[in-house]
């Protein structure tokens, strides 16, 4: 299946220029430091989405650290002060715990949420020592959060979740360990379909077809549900059949 998807990405590229994600990246990329720069990747759509997740978390850290420094340890023990530190900051839930800074582990996020007074000593001066790989630790739950504009779909299989990005017009299938299994660009240039709210039921059908791991079926559903034009469908089928013939040689 990989080859036909590569062909679709090549034939129907999506440009993130002027997108909200690109704007966030350009405005906040200075938050990347020596420890988190490994997550700095704006080359691909998925890389840009992941980079923005990291940057939003680093912005949360910057805001909370600055606020923590305004209070004494005694003041930080008050529940009202603790609530004020995280007020209106985005987070996602992991095993029932709020994660405000994805590049920190669960325990450190719990301290920011419930025990910020424990951070007043030497933690913030050496916070780079506590950086983790959030995608390996938190998996694809991190993508179903206010840290992205991805919309999680209901259909899943073997821990792989389907997500749709409205502006990028792209489906992303993300594994349980937070890696990209597949990316499918929709609405090629000649596809003029207007769907409205029906799009979500149609996307579920596409996800169901994807998890059958049958490229011919998937291409048919994409065409039937209006996500690719007839001419692009025929082009993809021709390429797929050509690839299959080469495998048999």
């Amino acid at each position: 299946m990989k080859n036909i998807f590569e062909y679709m990405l090549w034939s129907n590229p999506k440009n993130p220029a002027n997108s909200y994600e690109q704007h966030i990246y350009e405005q906040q990329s200075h938050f990347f430091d020596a420890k988190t720069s490994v997550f700095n990747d704006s080359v691909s759509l998925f890389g840009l989405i992941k980079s923005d997740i990291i940057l939003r978390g680093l912005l949360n850290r910057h805001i909370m650290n600055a606020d923590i420094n305004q209070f004494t340890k005694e003041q930080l023990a008050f529940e009202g002060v603790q609530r004020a530190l995280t007020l209106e900051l985005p987070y996602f839930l992991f095993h029932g715990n709020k994660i405000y800074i994805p590049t920190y582990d669960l325990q450190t996020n719990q301290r920011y949420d419930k025990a910020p007074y424990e951070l007043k000593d030497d933690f913030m001066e050496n916070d780079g020592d506590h950086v983790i790989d959030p995608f390996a630790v938190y998996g694809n739950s991190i993508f179903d959060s206010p840290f992205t504009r991805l919309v999680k779909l209901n259909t899943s299989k073997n821990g792989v979740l389907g997500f749709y990005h409205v502006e990028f017009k792209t489906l992303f299938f993300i594994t349980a360990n937070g890696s990209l299994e597949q990316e499918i660009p929709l609405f090629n240039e000649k596809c003029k379909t207007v769907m409205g709210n029906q799009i979500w039921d149609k996307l579920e059908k596409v996800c169901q077809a994807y998890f059958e791991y049958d490229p011919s079926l998937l291409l048919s559903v994409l065409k039937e549900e209006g996500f690719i034009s007839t001419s692009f469908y025929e082009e993809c089928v021709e390429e797929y059949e050509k690839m299959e013939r080469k495998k048999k040689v």
Side-chain angles (χ1 to χ4, degrees), residues 5 27 40 47 76 89 95 97 104 118 122 125 152 161 164 181 224:
F5 290 133
Q27 293 295 315
N40 186 352
L76 290 168
L89 294 182
H95 298 324
N97 296 279
Y104 283 158
E118 294 180 0
D122 62 347
E125 295 181 7
K152 184 173 77 70
L161 302 179
Y164 183 63
E181 180 176 275
E224 291 166 4

Side-chain angles (χ1 to χ4, degrees), residues 9 12-16 45 168-170 183 185-189:
L9 287 166
N12 184 21
K14 303 300 183 182
N15 189 346
L45 294 184
F168 293 161
K169 296 181 173 62
T170 299
E183 177 181 343
L186 307 178
F187 299 107
N188 60 294
E189 187 176 357

Side-chain angles (χ1 to χ4, degrees), residues 11-35:
S11 301
N12 184 21
K14 303 300 183 182
N15 189 346
N18 299 318
S19 66
Y20 174 81
E21 282 75 8
Q22 186 64 38
H23 172 73
I24 291 297
Y25 179 82
E26 291 172 356
Q27 293 295 315
Q28 299 180 8
S29 59
H30 63 278
F31 282 117
F32 282 120
D33 53 28
K35 291 286 186 176

Side-chain angles (χ1 to χ4, degrees), residues 35 103-105 108 111 122-123 126-132:
K35 291 286 186 176
T103 47
Y104 283 158
D105 61 20
T108 302
R111 294 170 77 184
D122 62 347
F123 177 84
N126 303 291
D127 56 3
D129 296 337
H130 302 269
V131 170
I132 62 166

Side-chain angles (χ1 to χ4, degrees), residues 126-179:
N126 303 291
D127 56 3
D129 296 337
H130 302 269
V131 170
I132 62 166
D133 180 345
F135 306 104
V137 173
Y138 299 120
N140 49 22
S141 64
I142 200 171
F143 297 94
D144 181 23
S145 74
F147 287 79
T148 79
R149 291 198 297 162
L150 292 171
V151 179
K152 184 173 77 70
L153 302 170
N154 295 322
T155 307
S156 63
K157 187 173 183 178
N158 298 327
V160 178
L161 302 179
F163 294 86
Y164 183 63
H165 194 289
V166 175
E167 184 176 354
F168 293 161
K169 296 181 173 62
T170 299
L171 273 170
F172 297 91
F173 291 91
I174 305 175
T175 67
N177 65 5
S179 61

